[in-house]
Amino acid sequence: MVKVGIVSYGAYVPRYRITPEEIGKVWGVDGKGMGRGLYILEKSVPHPDEDVATIATEAARNMLARTSVPADRIGALYVGSESHPYAVKPTATIVATAIGASPRMTAADLEFACKAGTAGIQVSMGLVGSGMAEYAVAIGADTSQGAPGDALEYSASAGGAAYLIGKKDLIAVINKTVSYTTDTPDFWRREGQPYPTHAGRFTGEPAYFRHINAAAKMMMEDVGTQPSDYQYAVFHQPNGKFPTRVAAGLGFTEEQVQTGLLTPRIGNTYSGAVPIGLAAVLDVAKPDDRIFVVAYGSGAGSDAFDITVTDGILEYDRDAAPTVSKLIEDPVYLDYASYAKFKGKIVMQE
Amino acid sequence: MASVAREWREIPGRYNTVGTKCGACGKIYFPARSLCPKCRRASVGKMERYDISEEGEVYTFSVVHDAPDANMRMKPYAVGMVKTTDGVLLTGQIVDIDPHRIEIGMPVRTVLRKIYEDGESGVIHYGFKFVPKW
């Protein structure tokens, strides 16, 4: 079988943050306790002039800065998100033009709640593996929405990461990908609605845990591995608690999960969550490190990936773009009023 | 409000600071020009695409307190002239920094941001702004 994998990657997280404590103060809730319960210390907030198109572009530019692959050899570009700026008009064309990949290419927007980014990686693997494209780009990015006062407001944040998928000069081989998909309405947002609705506790066992566990077990059965064969594991992280619980249940240790667990510092970046977590792992990974990745998207499905880092990482210019820890090292904290203004929650005069 | 078609024509210079260089005298122009005003006829057919550097330093700046509607959620904000590493002066908003911490000579880089939106149902216009360098 043709080896397909990651040629380059780049991430981006907006600079602004708000703490659960600050949000809780407004709604008469013990925000600090809420943050502890979710294991979220702070979440990222996009500047008023940032959206999924700008975040995806920044991530893709960071991805290109680390490789000598010219943008015009990218044959496909997919942006996975549940907060595309337009209902009709692709984000992908804006990003493709901004990075210089347009026009001899195909592009599209994907949506699958929090796993549209990894769905893009799978589509890209198919195109590259079949020879339809030399290189393909998959981006997961979101400026996710949480209704004022809702539990989601404590976690819904913004960020994204981009992956250049190819067959040559790989820094990591994707050995296999499998998915587990069912019709499970745990979380949704209807057309024209500004905020999503979730089914409370139903988002846990029958949704997140069932799908991730199933995909993870399928993967380990298929490739004949066990948790101890992996140096790192990245699970979808709607909060800081779910991924550590699902990891422990599958037999992974806290050390394996730690590097790719960003939610406590930046919140739930939805489609960006697993891609950013994987980027944080690739920031420090060494040759032969094996990475276990399972994304989850409500509605519902899980994509699992078995990845091995190659010797290519040694010559790869990781320093040509900021690492995830560099991206999040100097935040600016907002009070709730500024946060509401940034997120457009304040109704302005026409 | 500019027409969609006009904004569309300007995308190369908005997303990526693409200008032109006169093949006769070597002068760089931004926004792009189809004729060099200095060389005039001698520049016909010699104006080349020039990708202006996306890094530079703050040449001068001003803090805007009375913002147009499009920028109401960002005020006060800074607009600056940035001298790129290839010596071109570009004008744009400087974001992701408290305007009172900006200094002349501060290293910056370009990013893609929303410039303005034609209301709730219109087109979103993107373009370059400046942020402090990594």
Side-chain angles (χ1 to χ4, degrees), chain B residues 60-81:
Chain B
T60 186
F61 70 99
S62 180
V63 179
V64 179
H65 292 272
D66 192 7
D69 288 351
N71 290 349
M72 272 296 279
R73 289 191 287 145
M74 284 179 262
K75 70 175 194 180
Y77 62 89
V79 173
M81 287 177 80

Side-chain angles (χ1 to χ4, degrees), chain A residues 50 55 64 149 161 180 199 224 241 262 273 279 284 300 314 334 340:
Chain A
E50 290 186 292
I55 289 170
L64 282 177
Y180 184 84
K241 273 214 158 153
L262 276 302
V284 296
L314 297 172
L334 300 174

Side-chain angles (χ1 to χ4, degrees), chain A residues 5-349:
Chain A
I6 300 165
V7 178
S8 188
Y9 71 98
Y12 177 73
V13 180
R15 191 157 180 215
Y16 301 88
R17 302 283 182 278
I18 189 166
T19 63
E21 193 178 3
E22 178 64 24
I23 297 169
K25 261 199 307 206
V26 175
W27 303 113
V29 171
D30 172 15
K32 215 171 182 175
M34 187 80 137
R36 244 192 333 265
L38 295 167
Y39 187 30
I40 287 178
L41 310 171
E42 55 198 54
K43 68 162 194 170
S44 64
V45 181
H47 194 251
D49 60 5
E50 290 186 292
D51 63 14
V52 164
T54 69
I55 289 170
T57 298
E58 194 72 355
R61 283 177 174 170
N62 284 336
M63 171 199 82
L64 282 177
R66 288 176 164 140
T67 172
S68 56
V69 172
D72 60 7
R73 276 168 64 187
I74 294 167
L77 186 145
Y78 298 98
V79 182
S81 180
E82 61 165 59
S83 38
H84 290 290
Y86 291 92
V88 179
K89 158 114 192 49
T91 308
T93 56
I94 300 167
V95 180
T97 302
I99 66 168
S102 154
R104 203 185 163 112
M105 64 176 317
T106 181
D109 290 357
L110 303 177
E111 187 279 316
F112 196 141
C114 294
K115 81 159 187 81
T118 53
I121 293 177
Q122 291 180 326
V123 175
S124 297
M125 288 173 68
L127 286 173
V128 169
S130 66
M132 283 177 69
E134 186 182 8
Y135 295 101
V137 173
I139 305 170
D142 256 305
T143 54
S144 41
Q145 318 87 358
D150 185 79
L152 282 180
E153 197 180 21
Y154 296 84
S155 59
S157 67
Y163 287 84
L164 183 64
I165 305 298
K167 280 191 276 203
K168 280 182 299 207
D169 300 324
L170 303 180
I171 57 165
V173 177
I174 303 174
N175 306 312
K176 191 175 178 67
T177 179
V178 295
S179 294
Y180 184 84
T181 308
T182 73
D183 184 11
T184 307
D186 58 325
F187 171 104
W188 61 90
R189 180 165 67 84
R190 295 275 300 274
E191 182 74 41
Q193 293 298 308
Y195 301 113
T197 306
H198 55 88
R201 296 179 74 84
F202 186 69
T203 59
E205 286 306 333
Y208 178 92
F209 291 98
R210 176 186 167 206
H211 291 79
I212 290 199
N213 278 321
K217 285 174 186 162
M218 269 164 52
M219 175 60 89
M220 285 189 278
E221 262 175 44
D222 282 5
V223 292
T225 52
Q226 48 191 0
S228 58
D229 293 327
Y230 297 91
Q231 276 66 43
Y232 301 99
V234 183
F235 295 99
H236 177 52
Q237 33 204 281
N239 50 54
K241 273 214 158 153
F242 277 21
T244 39
R245 218 174 93 196
V246 83
L250 285 162
F252 288 90
T253 64
E254 222 177 291
E255 289 71 43
Q256 286 167 295
V257 176
Q258 210 66 44
T259 312
L261 182 60
L262 276 302
T263 299
R265 300 278 307 278
I266 62 171
N268 181 8
T269 54
Y270 285 51
S271 303
V274 156
I276 294 174
L278 177 59
V281 167
L282 291 172
D283 282 343
V284 296
K286 297 185 299 298
D288 298 326
D289 279 350
R290 204 151 173 185
I291 309 165
F292 191 73
V293 178
V294 190
Y296 171 72
S298 289
S302 270
D303 301 330
F305 299 85
D306 176 74
I307 297 170
T308 304
V309 178
T310 71
D311 288 343
I313 199 94
L314 297 172
E315 280 103 58
Y316 181 63
D317 194 3
R318 275 190 277 210
D319 295 336
T323 59
V324 173
S325 58
K326 173 89 180 159
L327 282 169
I328 64 175
E329 77 181 3
D330 187 22
V332 174
Y333 291 93
L334 300 174
D335 56 21
Y336 191 87
S338 304
Y339 162 75
K341 185 178 75 170
F342 270 37
K343 290 286 286 175
K345 293 179 192 238
I346 297 174
V347 180
M348 310 287 282
Q349 192 175 27

